[in-house]
Amino acid sequence: MQRTAIYRKCSFLAFLAILAGCSGGGSDGGSTSRDTIRPPMVAGTEFADLNPTNAGYAAIAVSRAADARPRSGSVTQSSNVNNGITVDRVAVAAQHGSGRNSYSIRNGTSWSVGTSDGNPVDIDATAPFDGQELHKRIPGGTLYVDVYSDIEAPTTRQVGGSDDGTRDVPLGTRVFTGNVSGRSGGVAGLSGSLNGEPGTFSCTGGCTYSRGIATAGTWTFTPDRPPSAINISGVSGVAFTGTFNPARTPGTYNGQTGYFRCLSASTSGCGRSTSNGRLSSLQGQWIFVPAGGTMVSTPDTDYLAGGVWLFIPDNATNAGDVVFGAFGDGSDPFDQRSVMALQGTARYNGLATGVYSARSGSDTEIGYVDGNVSLTVDFGGRSDLGTIGGSVTGIEIDGDRIAGSLTLGTANIGGSDSGFFEGILSGTVEGTGYTGRWGGQFFGNDDQSDGKPGSVGGTLGGRSEDRSASFVGVFGAYK
């Protein structure tokens, strides 16, 4: 899906600046009063207990994360590292809601938080983006997460004709794979293909065939994957009725009636569990076919999601106890096999947002930073997967434009994790040199007619030459 913006202001960062005893000034060095920056949560929440010392620890954690190598999978870059490589892997799932979207964010077995248990506060984000600030108590401390997504409302369309895509087959069509001849009162469920599409042939009333060709009778063809079919591989907990049959089981999905079918070559490939009238842990190629003549609701299955998080232990005694990081994820990671087949170039444009920290003596400043991202991808030739590189321009700190730009150094597209790549970040901002890391991967499998991925997402970070200032954030860009 082609979109024009990504991720806006991370509001808890401005609040951190207040708690640290300073304000987020712009490039003119001015200050912002407490009356101007309001905490995004009501007084009395756990977040209000974050003291200036912990805010200082958080600033140092930002600095550590800036120099960490991003980790693949759901791209993550944090202050929790081993041999310089990020240990954390934060994944997020989003679900569209008419009043409020819902989110679920998880860092492996370390922690999880969601809209249902994270005391959500909506963040004012630029449409079509939705954002929430979440916080909760977890064993040993308090977790803060700002999460954003561009997930859209489900699309609806009316399904016409038969519920299974059955269509008439003219006489003279090959219905048998071999040179079979014969006569039958009826034929049902005969496996074959029509115009390269797999399915089954059936016939009623005086059916005859000669050398595999239909010569008499009323023949029909039912495709294995009807035009209205919805891919539900990996979905859990969908309801079915009657007796379970992997070839055709009546049921409901997203409020629509229809039937479920497994398209895997053999029944053994149709992994699933059934309990109390529900299908769970679906393995193999599963589809849902809505009943004909109904309105079908199809959820957005190609969205980006990401943000930043901060963990403050109850008894933090040094900056090493505090963890800060950024994560960039999506619901439709690009098929790695497709990456390997791509050639030619593509351009991607979008935005980035993140956190900056600046320290001078005992003073700490934490705020947010935004910029425009431009990426150029060369998908290479037959012998390599190609490269990606670009820049960040139009940089703003706490909403004020500042001079400078960053270079996202050319990185090799990898052979796993949707072409995961990582490279070196460099540049000059306000006359100061910065170096750091960036990384990402590709998303969006069915967006573009040329077969190239529809979007790129990941993380980036850098710190100044004198190590007094750092930033870490996420980015997303669209073809």
Side-chain angles (χ1 to χ4, degrees), residues 338-346 376-389 410-414 442 452-453:
S338 299
V339 173
M340 296 177 180
L342 291 176
Q343 296 183 50
T345 62
T376 298
V377 182
D378 183 345
F379 287 103
R382 298 180 182 275
S383 60
D384 64 278
L385 299 180
T387 60
I388 182 172
T410 300
N412 292 326
I413 297 172
F442 297 98
K452 293 183 173 68

Side-chain angles (χ1 to χ4, degrees), residues 1 4 23 36 43 49 51 64 94 122 130 143 155 159-160 192 206 230 233 258 265-266 277 282 351 400 409 415 422:
M1 298 180 184
T4 58
S23 59
T36 302
D49 295 332
N51 57 43
R64 293 203 314 270
D122 292 338
D130 174 271
L143 173 70
T155 57
V159 179
I230 301 170
S233 300
S266 63
L282 299 184
L351 295 179
D400 294 326
E422 59 169 314

Side-chain angles (χ1 to χ4, degrees), residues 248-389:
R248 185 185 178 101
T249 298
T252 58
Y253 178 71
N254 282 344
Q256 304 299 316
T257 59
Y259 67 90
F260 302 99
R261 175 185 291 172
C262 180
L263 301 181
S264 296
S266 63
T267 302
S268 61
C270 300
R272 81 281 176 187
S273 61
T274 59
S275 176
N276 297 321
R278 291 189 176 274
L279 286 172
S280 299
S281 304
L282 299 184
Q283 303 168 22
Q285 298 182 58
W286 286 86
I287 61 171
F288 174 75
V289 181
T294 64
M295 293 300 295
V296 178
S297 177
T298 304
D300 181 2
T301 57
D302 178 15
Y303 61 82
L304 292 180
V308 293
W309 90 93
L310 173 69
F311 172 63
I312 301 288
D314 292 332
N315 300 313
T317 59
N318 58 71
D321 296 331
V322 175
V323 180
F324 177 87
F327 56 98
D329 203 357
S331 60
D332 191 25
F334 196 65
D335 190 324
Q336 182 63 40
R337 295 166 297 178
S338 299
V339 173
M340 296 177 180
L342 291 176
Q343 296 183 50
T345 62
R347 293 271 297 179
Y348 295 80
N349 295 293
L351 295 179
T353 197
V355 181
Y356 79 84
S357 66
R359 291 174 287 119
S360 177
S362 60
D363 294 330
T364 301
E365 181 178 345
I366 302 179
Y368 65 94
V369 58
D370 295 292
N372 302 315
V373 174
S374 178
L375 298 169
T376 298
V377 182
D378 183 345
F379 287 103
R382 298 180 182 275
S383 60
D384 64 278
L385 299 180
T387 60
I388 182 172

Side-chain angles (χ1 to χ4, degrees), residues 31-71:
S31 63
T32 306
S33 70
R34 291 171 182 258
D35 292 333
T36 302
I37 300 180
R38 300 273 184 188
M41 292 181 284
V42 297
T45 63
E46 290 95 335
F47 193 77
D49 295 332
L50 185 62
N51 57 43
T53 298
N54 284 341
Y57 292 161
I60 297 174
V62 173
S63 178
R64 293 203 314 270
D67 202 37
R69 293 175 58 184
R71 184 175 181 183

